[in-house]
Amino acid sequence: MTTAEAPAPHGLERLRDVEGLRRLPREERVAAICHLLRLELQRLLAVPPAHRLSADLPLGSQGLDAINALSLERAIRTVLRTEVPAEVLRASTVGEVAERLAEATGPHDEQPSSTHR
C-alpha cells in the first residue's frame, strides 16, 4: 500500500502569497481573485469541466446554496483574511465578489477604479 498524498490545493487554497496579491495593481488583483473564485466555485458546485459559471448571474441563481456559501465565506476568511457574508455571496456575481475582495485586500491608500466620473 502507498501512503495517501495530500490533495492538490484548489481554488482559494492555491493562493500562497497573500501579501504579493495585496501589492498587485487593482485590475490584476481583481483578475487573480476572480480566477481563484471561479476555481473554488467550480469545486463547490461540482461544475463539469466543459461548463463555465456566468459572469452576469448572481451566484445563488447558479447553484450556490446556503451551505456552499458558508464554505466559500469560510475559505475567503481563512485565505484572504477578510469577511464577505454568505448572503452577500449568494446575491452577487463572481465579478462583484472579486471587486469587493480586491478592494478589501488592497493597499489602504489605493483609490477604487471608477468608470463613472
Side-chain angles (χ1 to χ4, degrees):
M1 271 191 192
T2 61
T3 58
E5 294 182 21
H10 51 71
L12 291 171
E13 290 179 356
R14 288 184 175 193
L15 183 60
R16 298 284 185 226
D17 184 11
V18 175
E19 292 309 313
L21 177 74
R22 292 180 192 284
R23 289 189 297 272
L24 288 176
R26 180 176 174 76
E27 294 306 314
E28 289 179 37
R29 200 166 55 249
V30 170
I33 291 170
C34 193
H35 174 73
L36 293 171
L37 279 173
R38 283 182 185 275
L39 292 174
E40 186 72 21
L41 286 161
Q42 287 172 339
R43 181 189 67 81
L44 283 172
L45 302 176
V47 175
H51 294 82
R52 291 185 53 117
L53 294 167
S54 171
D56 303 321
L57 294 174
L59 296 174
S61 69
Q62 297 188 71
L64 187 68
D65 62 18
I67 300 297
N68 284 331
L70 289 171
S71 294
L72 182 57
E73 176 185 17
R74 184 174 45 249
I76 290 169
R77 184 175 52 246
T78 300
V79 175
L80 297 176
R81 295 179 231 130
T82 191
E83 298 282 334
V84 180
E87 307 83 46
V88 172
L89 292 170
R90 293 188 72 217
S92 302
T93 66
V94 173
E96 291 167 344
V97 174
E99 286 282 344
R100 182 180 180 133
L101 291 172
E103 185 174 325
T105 58
H108 295 294
D109 59 348
E110 181 181 69
Q111 296 296 317
S113 61
S114 176
T115 57
H116 306 290
R117 296 198 183 219

